[in-house]
Amino acid sequence: MQTLSLLSFVTGLSLLATSVAAQEADPIYAYIDKVEAAQQELSERYGYDNAPETLDAAFRAAGVDWARRYTDPWGNNGLFLDLDAASSFYHRAEEDLEKWADAVEDGDVSVDDAISELVPAMEHFDRVHQIIELGFQDEVLTMAEKAWWLDRHEEEANCLLPIYDCEGDRAAYEATKAAAERARAASRAPDWHWIGGSMSSPTLVLIRSRRGDRLLRT
């Protein structure tokens, strides 16, 4: 009976220590929640099921008519694929933060030391996230501009404007087609594979632990 009571007491102390360690890592889990929320916000606008609706709203606002038929392919094969490429930035940031939380819970680093490293790391995360957000906004506007020019291009091709005869105006046709391509090429949207790869580790830092110097991300 005494052995059982002692075992229960030791087990209770172990569970209490684990609980305290987990609570100490709470600020890091708050950072993880922030990363997840940032990615979720992008997904709600540019995810596979949502990207066409985002484009359609932009096309309507730009007065696009005929070219609204492109919202599905441009959304799902354009915006969504860009989101998929950029997502590794968020996944790897979350993985790094989880390793920081594990290090705190294991007693390898104090929560104060972890936070001192993660504050500038999360500032870097915020900057890159803003670049990604602005990039998507720019890409949507540029697609809407291209769609507007494609509307003009279709009007020329089908003699829909009264100022042209039924033979059409080949020069105007080619000019509007070229303008549509220039609109898309002029986008300031970043290279998503570069964002997803080269800038995907905002929390990569060297920490000192009882086990020696090591990189959190392996």
Side-chain angles (χ1 to χ4, degrees):
M1 180 67 70
Q2 290 180 347
T3 301
L4 182 59
S5 298
L6 179 60
L7 178 61
S8 299
F9 177 73
V10 172
T11 301
L13 286 179
S14 177
L15 291 174
L16 178 61
T18 300
S19 176
V20 170
Q23 290 177 0
E24 287 183 346
D26 281 351
I28 302 176
Y29 286 112
Y31 286 149
I32 293 174
D33 290 342
K34 179 178 182 178
V35 171
E36 291 177 346
Q39 187 174 16
Q40 180 62 28
E41 288 175 3
L42 290 178
S43 180
E44 289 174 356
R45 293 195 295 272
Y46 311 113
Y48 189 85
D49 294 327
N50 303 320
E53 294 181 4
T54 297
L55 274 187
D56 190 64
F59 284 14
R60 288 175 181 271
V64 173
D65 182 19
W66 178 86
R68 282 177 54 208
R69 65 192 63 199
Y70 292 121
T71 56
D72 279 354
W74 288 8
N76 291 332
N77 297 319
L79 290 176
F80 169 70
L81 291 181
D82 288 340
L83 178 64
D84 186 61
S87 65
S88 61
F89 167 73
Y90 300 92
H91 291 324
R92 292 177 64 181
E94 186 176 349
E95 288 175 357
D96 287 351
L97 287 167
E98 287 173 348
K99 290 179 181 179
W100 274 105
D102 289 343
V104 169
E105 291 176 358
D106 291 344
D108 294 336
V109 62
S110 71
V111 65
D112 290 339
D113 287 344
I115 296 301
S116 69
E117 296 285 356
L118 291 177
V119 165
M122 291 305 295
E123 289 175 351
H124 174 75
F125 172 85
D126 289 339
R127 288 193 296 271
V128 178
H129 175 59
Q130 185 178 35
I131 291 171
I132 292 175
E133 282 192 306
L134 292 175
F136 273 109
Q137 292 171 20
D138 177 78
E139 191 165 12
V140 168
L141 291 175
T142 305
M143 285 182 175
E145 184 180 0
K146 177 180 179 180
W148 188 89
W149 279 108
L150 287 177
D151 269 11
R152 309 291 79 73
H153 175 252
E154 181 66 12
E155 289 171 348
E156 299 292 348
N158 292 285
C159 302
L160 297 180
L161 292 180
I163 60 173
Y164 297 110
D165 59 32
C166 288
E167 293 181 358
D169 186 327
R170 189 66 185 179
Y173 175 90
E174 294 297 338
T176 53
K177 181 179 178 181
E181 293 305 321
R182 284 198 303 273
R184 184 69 186 89
S187 173
R188 298 181 304 279
D191 183 326
W192 301 108
H193 293 282
W194 178 74
I195 287 289
S198 299
M199 301 186 72
S200 62
S201 187
T203 59
L204 179 60
V205 292
L206 188 67
I207 66 167
R208 185 175 299 278
S209 73
R210 290 197 301 270
R211 299 182 184 131
D213 290 342
R214 63 186 176 88
L215 283 174
L216 278 178
R217 184 173 65 80
T218 57

